[in-house]
Amino acid sequence: MQSVNPYTGETIHTYAPESDEQVDQRIRAADRAFHDWRRTPFAERARLLHSAAAVLRDRKRELAVLMADEMGKVLRDGVSEIEKCASCCDFYANHAQGFLANQHVDSDAADSYVAFDPLGVILAVMPWNFPFWQVFRFAAPSLMAGNVGVLKHASNVCGCALAIQEIFEQAGFPQHVFGALLVESARVEKIIRHPLVRAVTLTGSTPAGRSVAGIAGSELKKTVLELGGSDAYLVLEDADLELAVKTCVQSRLINAGQSCIAAKRFIVASPLYARFVQRYAEEFKAIRYGDPKDDATGIGPLARADLRDGVHDQVQKTVQQGARLLAGGAIPAGPGACYPPTVLADVKPGMAAFDEEIFGPAAAIIEAADEDQAIALANRSEYGLGAALFTRDRARADRIAREIEAGSVFVNAFVKSDARLPFGGVKHSGYGRELSSFGIREFVNIKTVWHGADQP
Ligand code: NAP
């Protein structure tokens, strides 16, 4: 398993995968740790999670450099990612006990209530694009609920995986409450089938989700899946055009376009279409791309050269299918995996940029005759993760928000995750929710406790 710097193309580190026997030992150790951890009071778990937040804040610059080296994230974005992880730890340290407090229910019993018990060892299969955030948004609620976690991180970010394990150790967590396993994806099946693994969460592509869910289903183990997206941003004819352009540009280029909730399809009402396309292309052409460690860089390289080549193929295919290329669209000379901000206009259903998820800095702009067509185009996707609307009419926004098939709809703003609000998708974007009180209840046994008449 190799870490390759995507800006320079140089191999930074090679990691030897752990043997099946080592993996088995680690899962057994995690299960043993679970039996004490589940009885550890909330206050103590919270103290440790606040301590993890402090470690993250102390090490944010060093961890941002690690992300820049392993997957090309621009340094300032890396620092923000670590700060967000720390906030998520604080959030669950402060609120988990309340989210999981017994809920009393009036019934025929003398007393009856619902309790939330942890499940045990949870396997987390995670992607490279937000190598800390994706893991912490799983780990913070799961550990506070009394579960223990084993992480199978993406093969290109083994350094981040080991750093996360170290952060929990440095914060004082008991050994094996959280561990990173260095294994390739072909060996995930065996881990899912391990009798001591109780549930699985995967953040990644739809094919990986399908495979993991199939295996877990055959073992009757619960899964939460956070998969791909092709988020539609609807710019209606009464929108503030400049706000829409700026927000749509920013959202498409988050993390060099490698975000599940980056805006991918821009559906613009006919009266604004020509002006939107022109302003959008101007903004894209002004973005500097390249060295993630240079403060002047807007977007860094893509995480791997093979992923960059895949994005370029989708762009070329869309142009061949009749879209207009207004910016970018060519692989720059030199080593590494850079790709320029790319604008495709006049995109239609049936074209690659409309039908597929493009995981890179390429925007697809689509014209819609009216509101009904805009909604129909937004929903004409196998995905349903996030969506955004631009309009000055609040009532109209609330009405359209309910028509959109997505896990979240943002109005006059770009889609983002927030520890206080649920996050997840519908259709091929997955199922289950992370974050908020909904996320922490995904991996618990929702237990009914019934008291008959009090005994004398
Ligand atoms: P990926 O190839 O699916 O990899 C994600 C993780 O799954 C990695 O740890 C990978 O391990 C593992 N994996 C891949 N195939 C597997 C299989 N058949 N069985 C078990 N594990 C498997 O996805 P990616 O290219 O890294 O990430 C991009 C995708 O993730 C995009 O579609 C994006 O939209 C989605 N994503 C979704 C969210 C969300 O919250 N909804 C967030 C971020 C990303 P290896 O690295 O060893 O292959």
Side-chain angles (χ1 to χ4, degrees):
M1 298 166 82
Q2 283 192 329
S3 293
V4 176
N5 181 320
Y7 180 61
T8 62
E10 286 162 11
T11 300
I12 313 165
H13 211 296
T14 301
Y15 297 87
E18 287 170 79
S19 68
D20 284 348
E21 202 187 341
Q22 284 171 314
V23 170
D24 176 61
Q25 292 305 323
R26 298 278 301 280
I27 293 171
R28 287 178 192 285
D31 182 63
R32 284 193 296 278
F34 169 64
H35 293 282
D36 286 335
W37 183 246
R38 63 173 302 175
R39 294 187 184 88
T40 303
F42 272 108
E44 174 61 3
R45 290 185 213 152
R47 186 187 68 76
L48 292 168
L49 205 57
H50 280 308
S51 165
V55 174
L56 283 161
R57 289 188 178 106
D58 278 355
R59 295 180 58 183
K60 63 185 175 189
R61 302 224 163 261
E62 165 215 335
L63 299 173
V65 169
L66 177 60
M67 283 190 269
D69 285 340
E70 282 199 319
M71 47 70 66
K73 194 180 297 278
V74 173
L75 281 183
R76 65 175 173 279
D77 294 347
V79 168
S80 310
E81 182 171 333
I82 299 299
E83 285 168 349
K84 190 169 175 178
C85 294
S87 302
C88 183
C89 290
D90 286 338
F91 174 78
Y92 277 108
N94 292 334
H95 296 288
Q97 187 166 11
F99 290 153
L100 299 179
N102 292 347
Q103 289 186 359
H104 287 267
V105 178
D106 283 339
S107 70
D108 295 342
D111 183 20
S112 54
Y113 62 91
V114 180
F116 301 95
D117 289 348
L119 296 181
V121 181
I122 314 293
L123 168 66
V125 183
M126 290 290 151
W128 46 263
N129 61 341
F130 291 90
F132 284 82
W133 170 243
Q134 307 289 8
V135 177
F136 275 91
R137 81 179 183 187
F138 149 74
S142 293
L143 301 190
M144 280 307 295
N147 294 306
V148 300
V150 288
L151 167 68
K152 179 273 180 275
H153 218 324
S155 298
N156 55 327
V157 290
C158 290
C160 293
L162 294 173
I164 295 168
Q165 178 176 304
E166 193 181 275
I167 287 160
F168 283 110
E169 286 165 3
Q170 214 180 326
F173 277 75
Q175 253 206 319
H176 303 295
V177 165
F178 182 91
L181 304 174
L182 299 188
V183 289
E184 314 87 329
S185 53
R187 292 168 58 210
V188 168
E189 173 165 2
K190 199 161 184 182
I191 303 175
I192 297 172
R193 295 197 190 282
H194 194 294
L196 294 175
V197 169
R198 292 294 152 83
V200 188
T201 180
L202 175 133
T203 300
S205 61
T206 299
R210 203 186 288 280
S211 165
V212 162
I215 297 161
S218 75
E219 296 285 342
L220 303 179
K221 294 181 182 179
K222 183 173 179 180
T223 45
V224 166
L225 301 177
E226 298 286 358
L227 308 178
S230 185
D231 286 11
Y233 277 38
L234 280 63
V235 182
L236 303 173
E237 77 292 338
D238 64 346
D240 175 334
L241 182 72
E242 268 311 294
L243 172 73
V245 169
K246 292 252 166 27
T247 313
C248 290
V249 166
Q250 202 183 355
S251 176
R252 175 62 285 206
L253 295 178
I254 294 168
N255 208 34
Q258 305 164 112
S259 167
C260 50
I261 47 165
K264 286 164 193 152
R265 296 176 299 140
F266 303 95
I267 300 169
V268 185
S270 294
L272 293 186
Y273 186 74
R275 274 193 296 152
F276 181 92
V277 168
Q278 183 205 339
R279 286 285 301 112
Y280 197 95
E282 281 167 13
E283 294 279 329
F284 253 46
K285 284 178 190 162
I287 306 284
R288 275 183 63 168
Y289 66 98
D291 185 354
K293 292 182 180 165
D294 181 342
D295 286 342
T297 298
I299 64 166
L302 301 200
R304 299 194 313 251
D306 61 306
L307 297 170
R308 187 270 313 272
D309 295 347
V311 167
H312 184 56
D313 286 349
Q314 289 173 302
V315 167
Q316 283 193 311
K317 200 167 150 200
T318 307
V319 173
Q320 282 156 14
Q321 289 166 326
R324 270 190 298 147
L325 178 68
L326 298 178
I331 294 178
C338 287
Y339 200 70
T342 294
V343 178
L344 298 159
D346 304 346
V347 172
K348 295 186 170 55
M351 296 182 184
F354 189 99
D355 294 345
E356 301 168 12
E357 175 186 33
I358 298 191
F359 216 58
I365 311 182
I366 300 137
E367 183 172 357
D370 55 28
E371 180 188 303
D372 285 347
Q373 194 188 15
I375 296 169
L377 286 164
N379 288 339
R380 196 166 161 172
S381 168
E382 67 171 294
Y383 299 109
L385 195 54
L389 295 176
F390 293 86
T391 172
R392 289 187 166 94
D393 182 339
R394 166 74 199 254
R396 186 185 191 191
D398 287 329
R399 178 171 49 76
I400 296 174
R402 303 300 295 272
E403 300 287 321
I404 303 281
E405 297 165 359
S408 63
V409 176
F410 282 58
V411 180
N412 296 324
F414 67 82
V415 181
K416 60 183 179 180
S417 56
D418 182 316
R420 295 163 292 189
L421 289 161
F423 183 89
V426 294
K427 304 201 281 188
H428 288 175
S429 292
Y431 51 73
R433 289 293 178 267
E434 292 196 289
L435 302 175
S436 77
S437 60
F438 293 92
I440 198 170
R441 290 188 188 153
E442 289 285 3
F443 293 124
V444 290
N445 173 10
I446 302 173
K447 181 182 278 177
T448 292
V449 181
W450 174 291
H451 289 268
D454 287 337
Q455 297 296 310

